[in-house]
Amino acid sequence: MPKVVEHLAKVNDKPVFSIEIIPPAKGGKIDELLNDIAPMMEIKPPFIDVTYHREEYISVKSDDGTTKEIKTRKRPGTVGICSAIMHKFDVDAVPHVLCGGFTKDDTEDLLIDLNYLGIENVMALRGDHAKPFSTFKPKTDGHAYAAELITQINDMNHGKYLHEDAEYLSKSNFCIGAAAYPEKHFEAESHEIDFDHLRAKVDAGAEYLVTQMFFDNQKYFDFVNKCRENGIQIPIIPGLKILSTKKQLDILPKLFYLEMPSEFDSAVRQAKDDKDARAIGIEWCIAQCRELMKFGVPALHFYTMSKSTTTMAVAKEIF
Ligand SMILES: NC(=O)C1=CN([C@@H]2O[C@H](COP(=O)(O)OP(=O)(O)OC[C@H]3O[C@@H](n4cnc5c(N)ncnc54)[C@H](O)[C@@H]3O)[C@@H](O)[C@H]2O)C=CC1
Ligand SMILES: Nc1nc(=O)c2c([nH]1)NC[C@@H]1CN(c3ccc(C(=O)N[C@@H](CCC(=O)O)C(=O)O)cc3)CN21
């Protein structure tokens, strides 16, 4: 299976179209998911990221009226979905591998499964905090940061497992992606400190980066220039979200700690309804893509939430 970096290396005049999908809510049908994303296959994404959703802790009422805490995973199925899209669409699946909710042994088991499935691309992420908590907490004997996770994956690529280290152990062959923040990760005390942690991920073996979504291209341009000036030369893929409702104007900055450009903010606020807001969001993203292409980005990566319509409205204008 080709590596993401091999797809990116082949880019000459037009960037790669890549997408990120989320598993259906628990109990959802695989055929519905495949039908939902099928229209985007027209643009032939060479790889598709499949997010991993960590466990959450909720209280449920028992019959006797008492409540108890249960652990549940609202969107399970990442590995199965990877296998399904590989076979259905002949596309490379890039599963997200998280620190959150995993011990190092859990991670090793997952990597072995992915390896046996012939999956050779992973996106190594710390992951968000588990609901209802407000801060990220690693599992006991789990990784606290993505750089540690990347080291474990890179070790397995060199035949080094957690408890065994012998010649006969097969080497995995994962191409490792990692996350990056043009507008700084909200927990980092400063851009400089965040940048040091980013460098640690690259030094640990990350071969390409995917950015947090942004709506102001200048944030991305400044970030890439800073990376190049500081010796980070690996591909940096811009992550794009197409705004599709008025409420997202306030939710997205709050959720992902990003700034909405004032011109975009006022245009969406004046939209008469979500349909209008969506049209503005599509136009804004098309303009972003055109400017990013001129800058020479290797790919345009869309956070689709497994919905095709808005992504296709942009992709048809761009690819
Ligand atoms: N494509 C995607 O799905 C993307 C997902 N994300 C999300 O962003 C969040 C963070 O993910 P990652 O960047 O992988 O996490 P990370 O572990 O690289 O960084 C998380 C935070 O911890 C800090 N940090 C890193 N190493 C540290 C250390 N050794 N000591 C102290 N602080 C350290 C970083 O500066 C950052 O503020 C996750 O929730 C992830 O899901 C972000 C961008 C893209
Ligand atoms: N910290 C963080 N966690 C993530 O899971 C994550 C990132 N960053 N950045 C990259 C992608 C983008 N992700 C997402 C997740 C949700 C929406 C989203 O639009 N959700 C709702 C709006 C918010 C809400 O109502 O909860 C939607 O309208 O679909 C978009 C991108 C997931 N990924």
Side-chain angles (χ1 to χ4, degrees), residues 30-229:
I30 185 70
D31 288 346
E32 281 178 18
L33 172 69
L34 296 175
N35 289 337
D36 287 347
I37 66 173
M40 296 187 281
M41 298 311 122
E42 183 193 323
I43 316 283
K44 296 187 175 29
F47 57 89
I48 296 179
D49 278 45
V50 184
T51 58
Y52 204 103
H53 292 251
R54 69 172 297 176
E55 79 291 356
E56 299 181 20
Y57 299 88
I58 56 174
S59 324
V60 286
K61 251 197 181 8
S62 313
D63 298 345
D64 61 6
T66 57
T67 51
K68 63 180 171 139
E69 278 284 290
I70 64 150
K71 183 173 91 162
T72 181
R73 197 183 297 276
K74 291 210 168 142
R75 291 180 183 270
T78 298
V79 178
I81 288 164
C82 286
S83 180
I85 60 174
M86 283 161 62
H87 293 96
K88 175 88 177 174
F89 300 121
D90 188 24
V91 69
D92 295 344
V94 185
H96 287 193
V97 176
L98 302 186
C99 301
F102 284 75
T103 65
K104 292 170 195 160
D105 283 287
D106 294 336
T107 299
E108 187 167 87
D109 292 349
L110 171 61
L111 293 174
I112 290 167
D113 277 343
L114 296 177
N115 197 20
Y116 286 168
L117 273 172
I119 290 173
E120 294 200 330
N121 294 291
V122 292
M123 184 75 182
L125 299 164
R126 186 193 68 175
D128 293 309
H129 53 267
K131 292 192 178 106
F133 310 114
S134 55
T135 52
F136 175 85
K137 282 191 182 50
K139 257 195 143 162
T140 316
D141 193 28
H143 294 302
Y145 298 107
E148 300 161 4
L149 170 60
I150 294 169
T151 300
Q152 182 178 356
I153 301 167
N154 201 37
D155 282 350
M156 189 182 277
N157 281 353
H158 292 84
K160 186 172 179 305
Y161 290 62
L162 286 176
H163 313 298
E164 303 84 7
D165 183 7
E167 283 309 306
Y168 66 86
L169 292 165
S170 65
K171 294 185 169 87
S172 52
N173 190 22
F174 293 115
C175 173
I176 307 168
Y181 304 86
E183 300 177 74
K184 185 180 81 64
H185 188 266
F186 73 97
E187 291 169 15
E189 304 88 285
S190 70
H191 277 275
E192 282 56 45
I193 290 174
D194 204 26
F195 197 82
D196 291 345
H197 296 315
L198 174 68
R199 181 190 302 287
K201 292 197 272 193
V202 178
D203 294 348
E207 296 179 69
Y208 68 94
L209 300 171
V210 179
T211 72
Q212 177 58 282
M213 69 182 80
F214 55 88
F215 291 85
D216 176 356
N217 282 356
Q218 196 56 49
K219 301 273 199 281
Y220 172 81
F221 299 147
D222 295 347
F223 176 74
V224 171
N225 291 334
K226 179 174 176 179
C227 285
R228 301 318 182 209
E229 285 154 17

Side-chain angles (χ1 to χ4, degrees), residues 17-22 33 36-37 40 48-49 51 240-242 244 301-312:
F17 168 69
S18 66
I19 58 175
E20 180 171 305
I21 63 172
I22 59 173
L33 172 69
D36 287 347
I37 66 173
M40 296 187 281
I48 296 179
D49 278 45
T51 58
L240 297 164
K241 165 76 185 173
I242 306 164
S244 56
H301 183 76
F302 295 86
Y303 297 123
T304 70
M305 307 295 288
S306 302
K307 295 176 198 140
S308 295
T309 323
T310 30
T311 305
M312 287 306 287

